[in-house]
Amino acid sequence: MYFTKSDLPLSSEMLNFWNDNGYLIIENFKTNAECDDLINRSKELIEEQDFNNQQSVFDTVSQSHNDDNYFLESGDKIRFFFEEKAQLNESNLKKNKQYIVNKIGHALHDLDDKFIKFSKNHDLNEIAKAIGFQDPLLLQSMYIFKQPKIGGEVVCHQDSTFLITEPESTVGFWFALQDATKENGCLQVASGGHKGPLRKLFKRENNKMKMEELSSEPFPETDTFVEVKKGTLVLLHGRLPHYSCENTSPHSRHAYTLHVIDGKTKYMDYNWLQRPNLKLSGFKNA
Ligand SMILES: O=C(O)CCC(=O)C(=O)O
C-alpha cells in the first residue's frame, strides 16, 4: 500500500499499516530537485577522491569487508566502498570512478552540508515521533549506488543485526533518489516479518567481527517488491527481513538511507559502528 506526503502527519491507517507490515511507503516525500542535489553531491564527492590508495569492496554476499579497518573505522567518517564486480584497474579507478562505487558511508548526515540538509528535517522528526521514537538519533547514513550492470545484491537481513540497541529501536529511513524497479533491484521485503525473531547479531570482539546466531528460524520470503518512484521514502522496521537483487539492467538505482535509533535506549558497545569523534544528534539539530 502506497501513501503520499499529503497523508502526513501519520494517519491511523498509516500507523496500522506500519505496525502490521513493518514497512511504510510515503511517495513524493522529497522533490526531484532535492534528489538531484544529493545525486550531484555524491558525484562531486567521488570526483574529489583519489582511489589509488583505497580499494575496499563492500559485498554483503562474501562479507569480505568485515575485518577491514577502513570499514570498521568508517562510522564517523565519509568513506567509499567499491562494487564487488567492478574491475579495479588503473583505468577504471581514474576514468570510470562514477561507475565502480557501491556505497558511501557512514556519517554523511553529520559531515556534509548537502546531506545534513537532506537528512535533518522536521517532517522526518514528526514521522519518527509518530512511530514511537522518544529521542530519535541519526546513527548511520549510506548512499547506495546499485550501479548499472554490476550493482551488487544485498542479501536478506534485518537491520537490528548490524545496529542493535537495548531494547531494539533501529529503523531505516530509505529514500529513492531514482526510480527503483524490479529490473534495477528495488527493495524486497517480507511483509509482517518484523514480528519474527532477530536471527543474528554482528558483534565486534577485539576488533574482529563475528556473526552470532540467535535463532535458526528461516527468513520468510521477501516477496513484496517495493517498486517506487524517485523521491519516495520507505520506512523499514529493524527486524523486517529485506533484500535487493543484483542490478543487471542498464539503469542505476541510487538510494540514500538513514538508520535511526532511540536515545532512550542503550547503544551496545559491541556494535561495529562506533563514533568516537562524533556526537549523535537528531533530525532537528541542523
Ligand atoms: O538499498 C538497498 O538495496 C538495501 C538497503 C538496506 O538494506 C538498508 O538500507 O538497510
Side-chain angles (χ1 to χ4, degrees):
M1 187 160 186
Y2 291 61
F3 298 92
T4 83
K5 195 173 182 187
S6 56
D7 294 321
L8 293 174
L10 236 60
S11 60
S12 52
E13 195 187 2
M14 291 166 93
L15 209 48
N16 287 340
F17 188 91
W18 165 251
N19 288 328
D20 290 346
N21 298 285
Y23 72 98
L24 191 69
I25 301 172
I26 306 174
E27 291 184 309
N28 297 313
F29 188 81
K30 293 282 186 185
T31 61
N32 283 353
E34 286 173 309
C35 295
D36 290 342
D37 240 21
L38 231 55
I39 292 173
N40 292 333
R41 184 61 191 139
S42 79
K43 286 195 178 131
E44 285 171 7
L45 286 171
I46 290 175
E47 226 33 67
E48 287 161 12
Q49 276 296 304
D50 175 3
F51 286 146
N52 283 317
N53 300 318
Q54 184 290 103
Q55 301 192 7
S56 192
V57 166
F58 192 81
D59 180 14
T60 67
V61 181
S62 70
Q63 298 278 336
S64 59
H65 53 278
N66 286 358
D67 290 325
D68 175 349
N69 281 338
Y70 183 81
F71 164 71
L72 290 176
E73 291 164 8
S74 65
D76 53 9
K77 300 184 182 67
I78 295 178
R79 290 196 160 173
F80 300 78
F81 301 89
F82 295 121
E83 287 286 0
E84 206 261 326
K85 290 206 169 138
Q87 309 249 329
L88 299 180
N89 53 38
E90 209 184 320
S91 155
N92 280 343
L93 288 167
K94 283 210 175 86
K95 294 197 206 113
N96 290 319
K97 289 165 91 174
Q98 298 295 341
Y99 300 103
I100 56 176
V101 180
N102 167 289
K103 73 166 183 174
I104 310 176
H106 290 94
L108 289 155
H109 62 289
D110 279 320
L111 299 175
D112 184 90
D113 285 344
K114 295 265 184 203
F115 281 88
I116 292 170
K117 188 166 165 228
F118 192 96
S119 311
K120 304 213 167 180
N121 170 293
H122 173 76
D123 288 331
L124 291 172
N125 195 51
E126 293 302 300
I127 292 172
K129 290 281 169 89
I131 61 170
F133 278 93
Q134 290 183 60
D135 179 20
L137 296 175
L138 279 56
L139 175 63
Q140 166 177 268
S141 48
M142 295 187 281
Y143 190 106
I144 303 169
F145 290 85
K146 237 357 154 189
Q147 299 284 4
K149 304 280 186 197
I150 58 164
E153 170 188 21
V154 175
V155 295
C156 184
H157 66 282
Q158 297 165 297
D159 288 338
S160 290
T161 289
F162 298 97
L163 303 168
I164 188 84
T165 60
E166 278 184 7
E168 281 172 50
S169 66
T170 304
V171 171
F173 287 67
W174 186 98
F175 303 87
L177 301 177
Q178 297 178 326
D179 293 352
T181 64
K182 281 185 187 170
E183 286 70 40
N184 68 4
C186 67
L187 287 175
Q188 290 177 229
V189 302
S191 187
H194 63 303
K195 294 176 182 159
L198 185 64
R199 310 311 198 277
K200 288 178 183 167
L201 259 189
F202 189 52
K203 279 181 142 177
R204 189 192 281 258
E205 272 176 21
N206 301 323
N207 268 349
K208 288 257 176 241
M209 298 309 305
K210 68 167 213 200
M211 195 62 92
E212 185 178 304
E213 186 171 84
L214 303 179
S215 163
S216 59
E217 188 174 315
F219 282 133
E221 285 292 307
T222 50
D223 52 6
T224 301
F225 287 81
V226 185
E227 290 196 286
V228 292
K229 292 273 177 223
K230 175 172 181 164
T232 302
L233 165 64
V234 182
L235 301 185
L236 299 162
H237 188 285
R239 277 216 194 169
L240 184 77
H242 58 287
Y243 166 84
S244 67
C245 70
E246 273 185 302
N247 182 11
T248 51
S249 84
H251 307 290
S252 58
R253 194 228 64 186
H254 289 201
Y256 175 62
T257 182
L258 282 168
H259 286 100
V260 178
I261 55 168
D262 201 319
K264 297 286 176 211
T265 65
K266 180 173 159 50
Y267 185 66
M268 307 315 287
D269 55 13
Y270 56 74
N271 276 302
W272 80 266
L273 193 158
Q274 300 296 331
R275 300 169 31 118
N277 302 310
L278 264 187
K279 238 174 90 83
L280 284 167
S281 60
F283 284 113
K284 286 196 294 193
N285 326 346

